Amino acid sequence: EVRVAESGGETVQIGGSLTLSCVVSGYSDSNYCVAWFRQRPGQEREGVAGMNGEGRMGYGDSVKGRFAVSRDNAKNTLSLQMNNLKPEDTATYYCAADRLCPLMWAGIVAQNEFLNWGQGTQVAVSS
């Protein structure tokens, strides 16, 4: 059984930085996709950033240049480094994993490619 667990959400000030962590368990190797999504209040869930098993990354347009993902296969972890945080980054952040994510090769983080989801972690950006 694949399990996904997020951590690191908290309240930060505008312009600040925060790192979220996602630990994936249940795969026998590192050839799988992991990605971050978020759901802002009153909005649909959207793709934020992700990486496939071969290191190809994808980012949502609203976070390009501010957010970065990194992966530690030894720890089964995908980290999301968030810089220059804005109030509109306030959301519940979810991590998801699955074996295949073909759209990641085009830099697209598509939630319909992921079946295994975590419970989410809250990020609030305020003044």
Side-chain angles (χ1 to χ4, degrees), residues 28-43:
S28 58
D29 54 53
S30 60
N31 191 20
Y32 57 88
C33 305
V34 193
W36 285 97
F37 300 83
R38 70 183 180 187
Q39 187 163 19
R40 294 183 272 193
Q43 299 190 28

Side-chain angles (χ1 to χ4, degrees), residues 3-102:
R3 295 191 176 185
V4 180
E6 311 94 335
S7 64
E10 63 180 70
T11 298
V12 296
Q13 291 189 330
I14 296 171
S17 297
L18 186 65
T19 300
L20 304 181
S21 292
C22 171
V23 178
V24 180
S25 61
Y27 288 113
S28 58
D29 54 53
S30 60
N31 191 20
Y32 57 88
C33 305
V34 193
W36 285 97
F37 300 83
R38 70 183 180 187
Q39 187 163 19
R40 294 183 272 193
Q43 299 190 28
E44 295 185 354
R45 191 161 56 189
E46 63 178 342
V48 175
M51 186 183 297
N52 69 11
E54 298 185 53
R56 174 64 177 174
M57 293 177 282
Y59 290 93
D61 289 340
S62 62
V63 304
K64 286 179 181 177
R66 298 189 299 122
F67 291 12
V69 287
S70 60
R71 184 166 176 167
D72 185 340
N73 287 330
K75 297 181 179 179
N76 299 322
T77 299
L78 184 77
S79 297
L80 179 67
Q81 175 67 43
M82 304 186 292
N83 299 317
N84 189 24
L85 284 161
K86 305 175 181 180
E88 53 265 40
D89 295 317
T90 294
T92 301
Y93 285 74
Y94 298 91
C95 186
D98 216 311
R99 273 295 186 187
L100 299 175
C101 53

